[in-house]
Amino acid sequence: MFNNDDLQARWWTLEAKLVERFGKKPDMEAILFLIGIQELGTPAEKFTKEQKQDLMHIAVCRLLAPSGYYELDDTDPDGWPHYKQLKPMPDLNPIEQENFLKDHVLLYFEDKDF
């Protein structure tokens, strides 16, 4: 992982790009929802509350897969990916959890040339 100053600077850069693209600053839930939709690959007009939660779960699994926490297990007939957990999440305090997730979000968008 990167040091906190570098992480924060990279995060602000990503936020600026997302504001430019979508017109407002997204919170972490919105970013996870966006990643979930991108990973699903077939956005619907409207998602139910449960589907939105599922999309955010897909995003978290996809984000943490490169670090060995999850792997894609299957895709159901509707095209929804399903992951299996390979190892437990690290025991982190809330700030460390947020930075851990931010770092993985940044790596995801770097891979996507966003």
Side-chain angles (χ1 to χ4, degrees):
M1 275 211 240
F2 296 91
N3 70 45
N4 283 343
D5 291 340
D6 183 54
L7 175 70
Q8 191 60 50
R10 292 170 43 233
W11 186 256
W12 288 334
T13 299
L14 175 62
E15 282 182 333
K17 288 179 181 179
L18 293 170
V19 167
E20 185 178 309
R21 184 158 181 190
F22 297 107
K24 64 180 184 176
K25 181 179 166 184
D27 61 11
M28 182 60 81
E29 284 187 4
I31 291 170
L32 292 175
F33 182 67
L34 173 67
I35 292 169
I37 290 173
Q38 187 164 334
E39 290 302 310
L40 181 60
T42 55
E45 288 283 324
K46 254 319 201 184
F47 290 105
T48 66
K49 184 176 181 177
E50 184 178 327
Q51 287 174 321
K52 289 177 183 178
Q53 291 172 335
D54 290 345
L55 286 166
M56 288 188 283
H57 177 73
I58 288 168
V60 170
C61 293
R62 169 57 184 86
L63 291 172
L64 300 180
S67 294
Y69 291 97
Y70 291 90
E71 77 175 1
L72 182 61
D73 188 38
D74 194 16
T75 303
D76 70 22
D78 294 325
W80 287 72
H82 294 271
Y83 288 81
K84 68 178 175 181
Q85 189 170 2
L86 300 177
K87 62 183 180 181
M89 297 298 297
D91 188 25
L92 304 170
N93 69 42
I95 292 172
E96 291 169 332
Q97 285 177 9
E98 182 178 355
N99 288 339
F100 181 75
L101 194 53
K102 281 182 176 180
D103 193 40
H104 284 83
V105 168
L106 290 164
L107 291 170
Y108 176 84
F109 280 107
E110 286 170 11
D111 286 346
K112 299 291 183 192
D113 291 324
F114 182 78

